[in-house]
Amino acid sequence: MRSIKRKKNGSSFRVLSTSTKNIGNIALIKPLLDSIGIAKIIDDYCPMERDVDGITNGEAIEVLVLNRLTSPTPIVHVEEWARQYALQETFGISPDEVNDDRLRRALDAIYPKIEFIEADAAIKMMTRYKIRLELLHFDSTSLYFEGEYEESDLLRLGYSRDKKAGTKQVNLTLDVDAKEGMPVFHTTHEGNKVDPHMALENLEKIRERLHPNRLIMVGDRGEIDGDVALKIHADNGFDFIAAVKMTEKTKELVLSIPDDAFKQISISGTESGQYLAYDAGGNAIKYSASKDQPKRELDARGIVVLSRRKARQDKERRDKAISEIETKLNEIKRKLNKRHYKDKDFVAKKLAALFEEKERYAKHAHLFRINLKTAKKILTRNGSRRETVEFLSLSYSIDKQKLESDSRFDGKYVLSTTLPDWSAERIVESYRTRYIVESRIRNMKSEVKVRPVFLHDQNRIASLVFMSILALMVYSLLEILARRSGIMTVWGRNKNPVTARQLMFVFATVTLVRHRLKDGSDIRIVEDLLPTQRLVLNKLEFASPKSYIG
């Protein structure tokens, strides 16, 4: 045994045992959860039954959010996580209260109220932290699940953005504020639903739950089709900025513009001269309702953009694809008239499979002229006997005219908008911030780690996805507040804005030490914070863990 001294009177006590628990990112997350009041919002919609002891549904979901932002684990292991982290000391919740059965019941309870809870949380965050919802990026992604899930209507086979073909998935859309990157809403969809259908449902729910007076939706070419464009602008009076699919009409528009008609525009964060644009006017792009809808049309302004960097990349990608295709064609040529390659049908299938092997090969298949034919030649055997033998020959060439035509599209893309007064520069700048929503989707799949999911009830899966979105909202809010406070990167010499990932790495070491004394009492001590940790908490105006751990 050894002795330690109490600071009050200098007297000493005998320490029987010492143990530690992680505080880690709780020091960053607890102040935000307390400020937003997620538990109260949930409990208002999903109150507990009378005379039921234990934690509330709101507290249970807050624990899951906290778990996702400290050390993400499957629900069945959250109780063990709670024993390793200072959950009881910081939130007053014992590990026994967060067993998997209790957490699953909380997921069941919130399912019918997900949209209301999310909207209230988003409005609370936007109001409390003065986040203005005007320019909104929306994007779609998929989450795959391993297993059969035969009884699920939500989990379906569909186009996998995770490149996990053959696995069932759920699709979701995410809406993110364009200025600071705050996620404000999401919708969950069947795994086989296509992007425009998801966008329509997403838009309707945003209008119902968030009640925006003005909104500018920014979407990629896969999200905004004729039905979505009409819904946004004609039906709801909102505006949009969208990339346009490169259809034949779009290609005609691009080819009609001589290169010297493009005007240089200034885009923040890029070198001068990197971006040029041509304003094609207010009726350059025409949207039409789908065939199963009443006939309606919408004229939109078109902006043709030329990015010099993208032009270089397009050329490099095309040259690389052509080189790879030529290498594979030459491999087939070397194998001709040997074994299976004596069969013309077999070789033809191999050629077809080559261009289906990769998306970039299929994209450039039209550039190749391939000639596979059967020829005959006469062989002389034993000096006199002549024999006619059939053999295959393969030749190919690149269509220079088509190659030249393709090169005219290098670096160019078309944006459409219903904003008549915005400059081309502002429209391009606003569209380029789509990286924000894409980065939030990456955050959700990496830092928050929505997967793996070991649930089979589809309502619980939808609730767990929503809980991960709540965690993403808190994660993003931490990053926003840190950047507002002027915190730059917390390591290295770069003066880049700090990220939530960096902050959580720095705070992962915060530890609670517990001394068990001979008289049966405990002394709990938060180890001294590092200078960087103290600086961050001061900048964010967050309380030190010492203030709420007795």
Side-chain angles (χ1 to χ4, degrees):
M1 295 186 185
R2 62 186 181 86
S3 65
I4 61 171
K5 291 185 177 181
R6 295 177 63 183
K7 294 183 179 179
K8 287 185 177 180
N9 54 23
S11 60
S12 62
F13 290 93
R14 307 296 272 180
V15 176
L16 295 178
S17 62
T18 298
S19 59
T20 61
K21 284 186 177 182
N22 296 326
I23 297 175
N25 297 325
I26 293 176
L28 296 171
I29 306 306
K30 177 177 169 56
L32 294 176
L33 292 177
D34 291 346
S35 174
I36 300 165
I38 287 178
K40 183 180 185 307
I41 293 172
I42 292 173
D43 289 335
D44 285 345
Y45 283 107
C46 310
M48 297 291 293
E49 297 178 2
R50 294 180 181 179
D51 302 324
V52 175
D53 295 329
I55 61 174
T56 67
N57 291 318
E59 289 172 326
I61 298 302
E62 274 199 343
V63 169
L64 286 174
V65 168
L66 198 64
N67 171 261
R68 288 293 170 187
L69 295 174
T70 52
S71 180
T73 57
I75 286 179
V76 70
H77 297 312
V78 169
E79 183 177 350
E80 180 59 30
W81 162 85
R83 299 187 191 282
Q84 299 171 8
Y85 275 77
L87 180 66
Q88 187 162 7
E89 292 79 3
T90 54
F91 284 82
I93 298 173
S94 70
D96 293 338
E97 294 179 290
V98 293
N99 58 76
D100 64 320
D101 181 62
R102 178 65 190 92
L103 298 178
R104 290 170 196 269
R105 293 201 311 271
L107 294 176
D108 292 338
I110 67 171
Y111 174 74
K113 302 294 183 180
I114 285 176
E115 293 175 16
F116 300 95
I117 296 168
E118 183 173 21
D120 280 13
I123 291 171
K124 180 72 176 290
M125 291 184 198
M126 289 187 289
T127 303
R128 172 73 175 79
Y129 296 104
K130 297 179 173 56
I131 298 171
R132 186 182 177 190
L133 185 62
E134 182 181 25
L135 193 66
L136 192 68
H137 286 287
F138 72 100
D139 202 356
S140 56
T141 189
S142 56
L143 303 172
Y144 70 92
F145 295 77
E146 294 170 342
E148 294 299 327
Y149 295 92
E150 293 178 354
E151 298 180 1
S152 175
D153 293 327
L154 185 63
L155 299 179
R156 302 283 186 88
L157 293 173
Y159 170 70
S160 175
R161 297 158 184 83
D162 295 310
K163 307 301 181 186
K164 295 289 183 179
T167 58
K168 290 189 176 181
Q169 63 181 23
V170 59
N171 286 335
L172 63 90
T173 58
L174 184 65
D175 303 280
V176 176
D177 157 62
K179 185 176 181 182
E180 295 184 287
M182 182 68 201
V184 296
F185 207 70
H186 92 289
T187 50
T188 305
H189 308 268
E190 297 89 346
N192 60 350
K193 184 168 284 190
V194 295
D195 288 356
H197 292 173
M198 292 191 290
L200 285 171
E201 186 176 333
N202 177 67
L203 174 64
E204 190 63 28
K205 291 185 176 180
I206 286 177
R207 188 186 61 80
E208 291 176 358
R209 305 298 180 217
L210 300 182
H211 310 291
N213 295 321
R214 172 174 168 75
L215 197 62
I216 303 168
M217 305 288 289
V218 184
D220 211 345
R221 58 180 57 87
E223 276 95 28
I224 297 184
D225 64 0
D227 291 335
V228 178
L230 286 161
K231 190 74 174 178
I232 293 173
H233 190 65
D235 297 343
N236 287 290
F238 300 149
D239 290 296
F240 65 81
I241 299 171
V244 180
K245 288 185 177 180
M246 198 62 79
T247 62
E248 290 304 317
K249 286 187 176 180
T250 310
K251 289 180 179 180
E252 289 176 9
L253 171 63
V254 173
L255 293 175
S256 69
I257 304 168
D259 286 347
D260 58 6
F262 285 86
K263 295 182 179 179
Q264 183 174 317
I265 58 176
S266 178
I267 302 295
S268 61
T270 65
E271 296 179 6
S272 176
Q274 283 297 309
Y275 280 87
L276 299 93
Y278 176 84
D279 193 334
N283 59 354
I285 306 297
K286 187 178 293 292
Y287 288 97
S288 301
S290 55
K291 293 180 180 180
D292 60 341
Q293 298 293 320
K295 186 175 181 180
R296 293 196 297 167
E297 292 184 340
L298 173 69
D299 288 336
R301 180 181 172 198
I303 307 292
V304 183
V305 184
L306 170 58
S307 163
R308 296 197 186 282
R309 179 184 178 187
K310 184 176 183 299
R312 291 193 298 270
Q313 292 174 338
D314 288 346
K315 183 179 185 305
E316 289 170 0
R317 291 190 187 106
R318 183 175 58 249
D319 290 347
K320 181 180 179 181
I322 289 173
S323 176
E324 291 176 1
I325 292 170
E326 287 183 313
T327 298
K328 291 179 177 294
L329 287 173
N330 289 331
E331 287 178 2
I332 293 175
K333 284 182 69 174
R334 285 195 296 271
K335 295 177 180 179
L336 279 184
N337 302 303
K338 299 175 183 177
R339 298 172 64 85
H340 297 300
Y341 287 83
K342 295 178 181 179
D343 187 332
K344 185 176 182 180
D345 289 339
F346 177 85
V347 176
K349 288 178 181 178
K350 281 290 183 181
L351 292 170
L354 188 164
F355 289 103
E356 295 173 358
E357 180 180 331
K358 295 183 179 180
E359 186 176 340
R360 65 176 182 270
Y361 295 173
K363 182 179 179 181
H364 298 98
H366 67 286
L367 297 177
F368 285 82
R369 294 173 176 170
I370 296 177
N371 184 19
L372 174 65
K373 62 181 182 179
T374 302
K376 295 182 179 181
K377 63 180 178 181
I378 298 175
L379 299 179
T380 302
R381 297 183 184 277
N382 300 323
S384 60
R385 187 165 62 90
R386 311 181 85 188
E387 182 179 344
T388 301
V389 178
E390 290 188 348
F391 66 96
L392 295 178
S393 67
L394 173 65
S395 62
Y396 68 87
S397 63
I398 295 175
D399 190 319
K400 300 298 183 183
Q401 187 174 355
K402 290 182 179 179
L403 181 61
E404 173 64 24
S405 177
D406 281 8
S407 68
R408 294 191 61 187
F409 295 100
D410 287 352
K412 296 173 183 176
Y413 57 94
V414 181
L415 300 179
S416 66
T417 183
T418 51
L419 296 163
D421 300 326
W422 280 28
S423 66
E425 196 169 71
R426 188 178 181 186
I427 290 167
V428 176
E429 182 95 62
S430 298
Y431 179 77
R432 284 190 72 251
T433 57
R434 277 192 58 77
Y435 72 87
I436 294 175
V437 65
E438 292 164 355
S439 68
R440 290 303 180 216
I441 288 175
R442 287 194 297 272
N443 292 150
M444 182 183 68
K445 293 186 176 184
S446 54
E447 279 74 48
V448 176
K449 293 184 180 177
V450 65
R451 295 191 74 258
V453 178
F454 298 98
L455 296 172
H456 285 260
D457 182 279
Q458 65 181 26
N459 292 353
R460 287 178 179 175
I461 290 172
S463 295
L464 190 64
V465 170
F466 163 61
M467 180 278 301
S468 298
I469 296 294
L470 277 180
L472 180 65
M473 293 168 77
V474 175
Y475 177 96
S476 304
L477 182 59
L478 172 64
E479 187 169 280
I480 290 168
L481 297 181
R483 292 181 175 185
R484 285 184 183 180
S485 71
I487 300 174
M488 304 305 287
T489 183
V490 291
W491 55 56
R493 297 182 179 180
N494 295 329
K495 294 301 180 182
N496 297 323
V498 72
T499 65
R501 179 173 176 269
Q502 292 174 352
L503 293 176
M504 290 182 171
F505 179 85
V506 167
F507 274 79
T509 60
V510 181
T511 305
L512 174 68
V513 180
R514 176 188 177 188
H515 297 293
R516 174 60 59 89
L517 305 182
K518 186 177 181 180
D519 64 2
S521 62
D522 289 341
I523 294 179
R524 293 178 291 187
I525 301 171
V526 178
E527 289 191 338
D528 290 339
L529 299 178
L530 300 173
T532 302
Q533 294 166 343
R534 291 197 300 271
L535 171 67
V536 169
L537 292 180
N538 289 337
K539 286 268 192 181
L540 291 172
E541 299 182 357
F542 286 179
S544 168
K546 293 180 180 180
S547 68
Y548 48 82
I549 295 179

